[in-house]
Amino acid sequence: SASAGSTSASCSRAGLLRRPPRRHPETVTYPRRSACHSPEHWRDNHYRLEGPAVAQMQAAFMDNWTKVSGAVLHGDPYFPVQKPSGQTYAQVFQSSSEGGSESMHLMYLLSIAAATKTLDLAMAYFVPDEVTSEALVSAMKRGVRVRLILPGNVVDTDFVRNASRASWGPLLQAGALIHEYQPTMYHVKLLIVDGLWASVGSTNFDARSFRLNDEANLNVYDAEFARVQTETFEADLKRSRRITYEQWEARPWHEKLKERGAALFSSQL
């Protein structure tokens, strides 16, 4: 079986609400959610994974472990049998600069292209390249509602935020609903497509995640899981400030200058 549940880090409660296992390969568990209100605590989601998909997560870990240590872990103590249970279908999807460096980028692009109704994207670092921006704009042109939650003023790197804000123009003009999370640093990485499919994990929406970093995401095809993620997303929306195209266009000249300067390095961020 596999189970995955979300909660906010540092400022979350510990209790898990478990749905009983059913007949299909995967199961989902849902922890209680609590809000982050202090800049001392980052807002994040955590997930618990159990079952066959764990073997895929182990493979991602083993890839890093072998590269760093030169040792190969083997045997039942490291790889116990993972028995199927539950009803949720999930996979762990990974990419790295040494193998499949464009795989995560392609997965996101295919997800955007497949959307017919809604795309909800929560992202700690959002510096889309031209291809990704065009994919989002194309989705909106065919009637897909696109909502984004990104970090606000409380960030760990102003440079990345400046590069991100420089890219918003075409998205806002096309109808994207962009929001900045206000209480604290927003470290969530979440994509929800049509309320049916969700991807969570380590991948950011930037060149480093798509082409350089070792990344791993959990992709879950389950409407109930997506519904709970959407509830969490919309709770975060209530603590976020929407940025309209008019507000973005009217920002001070010195902010535009910093953003354009940072945008020159977007391919390295």
Side-chain angles (χ1 to χ4, degrees):
S1 74
S3 66
S6 65
T7 184
S8 51
S10 298
C11 47
S12 63
R13 299 174 183 172
L16 288 179
L17 305 177
R18 181 177 294 272
R19 186 173 63 185
R22 298 184 184 175
R23 60 185 177 82
H24 295 298
E26 317 293 342
T27 303
V28 180
T29 58
Y30 304 116
R32 297 189 183 100
R33 173 181 50 80
S34 68
C36 297
H37 297 291
S38 168
E40 297 177 358
H41 298 141
W42 286 15
R43 168 69 182 92
D44 209 338
N45 286 345
H46 288 173
Y47 297 86
R48 178 182 176 89
L49 179 63
E50 299 172 350
V54 171
Q56 297 173 335
M57 182 64 76
Q58 288 175 307
F61 173 81
M62 276 290 297
D63 183 55
N64 282 143
W65 182 268
T66 303
K67 289 175 184 175
V68 173
S69 69
V72 177
L73 304 177
H74 59 87
D76 292 340
Y78 294 108
F79 300 98
V81 175
Q82 305 293 337
K83 296 181 180 180
S85 69
Q87 68 171 5
T88 303
Y89 291 98
Q91 69 169 164
V92 174
F93 195 88
Q94 67 180 109
S95 66
S96 71
S97 60
E98 298 179 1
S101 61
E102 297 286 344
S103 297
M104 197 68 74
H105 191 200
L106 182 59
M107 187 270 288
Y108 271 84
L109 289 174
L110 289 173
S111 301
I112 295 169
T116 61
K117 297 178 181 178
T118 60
L119 281 168
D120 289 334
L121 181 67
M123 201 56 56
Y125 308 103
F126 179 79
V127 189
D129 58 16
E130 185 177 352
V131 173
T132 310
S133 290
E134 289 177 356
L136 289 168
V137 170
S138 295
M140 286 182 278
K141 286 181 177 179
R142 63 177 185 268
V144 177
R145 183 196 66 190
V146 175
R147 301 187 296 183
L148 297 93
I149 303 178
L150 308 175
N153 291 324
V154 184
V155 293
D156 62 337
T157 167
D158 287 319
F159 194 80
V160 174
R161 181 171 182 249
N162 289 333
S164 174
R165 289 170 67 92
S167 69
W168 292 3
L171 299 176
L172 289 167
Q173 283 184 306
L177 306 175
I178 299 180
H179 307 77
E180 291 187 325
Y181 191 75
Q182 297 300 299
T184 186
M185 169 63 189
Y186 197 68
H187 202 246
V188 176
K189 293 100 171 179
L190 168 66
L191 173 66
I192 310 168
V193 180
D194 289 343
L196 297 173
W197 185 89
S199 183
V200 302
S202 68
T203 307
N204 290 293
F205 229 76
D206 57 26
R208 294 191 68 86
S209 280
F210 288 154
R211 298 185 177 91
L212 182 61
N213 293 348
D214 287 6
E215 305 286 4
N217 268 34
L218 175 66
N219 297 334
V220 181
Y221 182 55
D222 181 80
E224 176 64 12
F225 182 82
R227 182 191 64 79
V228 174
Q229 304 313 302
T230 301
E231 285 183 354
T232 301
F233 182 92
E234 291 180 344
D236 288 340
L237 275 182
K238 295 177 181 178
R239 294 185 286 274
S240 302
R241 180 172 69 97
R242 183 180 169 188
I243 307 296
T244 66
Y245 177 77
E246 291 73 23
Q247 290 171 326
W248 178 84
E249 185 63 28
R251 65 203 190 282
W253 68 266
H254 58 86
E255 289 187 12
K256 294 180 180 180
L257 183 62
K258 287 191 297 184
E259 291 166 8
R260 288 173 183 172
L264 295 174
F265 299 91
S266 293
S267 63
Q268 306 302 313
L269 299 177

